[in-house]
Amino acid sequence: MTPQVLVVEDEADLVELLRYNLEAEDFSVATAEDAEEAMLRIAENTPDIILLDWMLPGTSGIEICRRIRARTDTARIPIIMLTARGEEEERVRGLATGADDYVVKPFSLPELMARINALLRRSNPQLIAAILKAGDIELDRTTHRVRRSGKEVHLGPTEYRLLEYLMGNPGRVYSREQLLDGVWGTDVYVDERTVDVHVGRLRKAINRGRAKDPIRTVRGAGYAFDEKFVAN
């Protein structure tokens, strides 16, 4: 599963620099220039981590951070504040508002990447783990192989990415649109019902015999990897 980063920054050159380096490290990147666009991006597809500039036109990064923390569905998203304000008082203010980390411009890109990965390891270790395990299913991101009860499961590339995406955040319900964006990509047009076809193929491949189905269908909402299955 590709970690998704939202960059909220109004400096175009810095946005492109961050996008280039994040994508080179296999992150999926969305961007926003102001508060309104940022909240829209979050509503469309909840990111795994947010890089948030303090000084934005109109509403400040501090206020955006408050809004994100005030909502139950976004309160736990890791936030790294990017700012030219390096004084201790300002750092304390940013952290007190709810930011998880604070990076002063100009910053070192390797250091920023290390901070991003450190936050993701704490908030969602499944995102960067080499092997995902849930119940009797094991997915190896290095070899792109899937096993169930020790036996190899043969999946097509789309079914593999779909399983990885769902296993990366057990219990989270993804709409068809979110799965299309996360698995197929935002630059490809695919009908939403295509998701149902590939979920069906995935279920057929991994649910042999009397094996329990780990994929939960949420009527009117989408699909989720069942948390109860993970606990077994």
Side-chain angles (χ1 to χ4, degrees), residues 181-195:
D181 288 345
V183 177
W184 280 263
T186 57
D187 56 346
V188 177
Y189 175 76
V190 182
D191 186 88
E192 286 192 0
R193 292 298 167 182
T194 301
V195 174

Side-chain angles (χ1 to χ4, degrees), residues 53-127:
D53 183 31
W54 182 309
M55 300 296 290
L56 291 168
T59 306
S60 71
I62 286 287
E63 179 57 31
I64 296 173
C65 186
R66 287 196 185 99
R67 293 180 187 180
I68 292 170
R69 291 291 180 249
R71 289 172 44 180
T72 55
D73 58 334
T74 60
R76 295 184 178 275
I77 301 174
I79 297 173
I80 297 179
M81 193 75 75
L82 307 178
T83 178
R85 298 169 177 260
E87 297 82 3
E88 180 182 357
E89 181 180 344
E90 299 297 344
R91 293 199 300 271
V92 170
R93 184 182 171 198
L95 294 170
T97 304
D100 296 278
D101 205 347
Y102 191 102
V103 177
V104 178
K105 301 177 184 178
F107 48 77
S108 157
L109 282 167
E111 180 184 356
L112 177 62
M113 295 304 303
R115 289 173 181 268
I116 290 171
N117 285 319
L119 270 178
L120 288 176
R121 277 195 297 272
R122 293 200 298 268
S123 66
N124 193 348
Q126 293 282 67
L127 277 173

Side-chain angles (χ1 to χ4, degrees), residues 7 12 16 18 34 46 48 50 93 98 102 105 124-126 134 137 140-141 150 174 206 210 223 226 230 232:
V7 178
E16 288 309 308
L18 289 170
D34 55 33
T46 306
D48 297 301
I50 298 172
R93 184 182 171 198
Y102 191 102
K105 301 177 184 178
N124 193 348
Q126 293 282 67
I137 297 177
D140 189 323
R141 284 172 161 156
Y174 290 97
I206 62 177
R210 296 183 178 181
Y223 297 99
D226 198 338
V230 177
N232 289 343

Side-chain angles (χ1 to χ4, degrees), residues 1-6 26-30 45-50 77 120 127 165 172 174 178 181-183:
M1 180 178 173
T2 303
Q4 299 181 55
V5 182
L6 173 61
D26 293 326
F27 286 86
S28 175
V29 182
N45 197 6
T46 306
D48 297 301
I49 191 167
I50 298 172
I77 301 174
L120 288 176
L127 277 173
Y165 199 79
R172 175 174 171 180
Y174 290 97
Q178 288 174 327
D181 288 345
V183 177

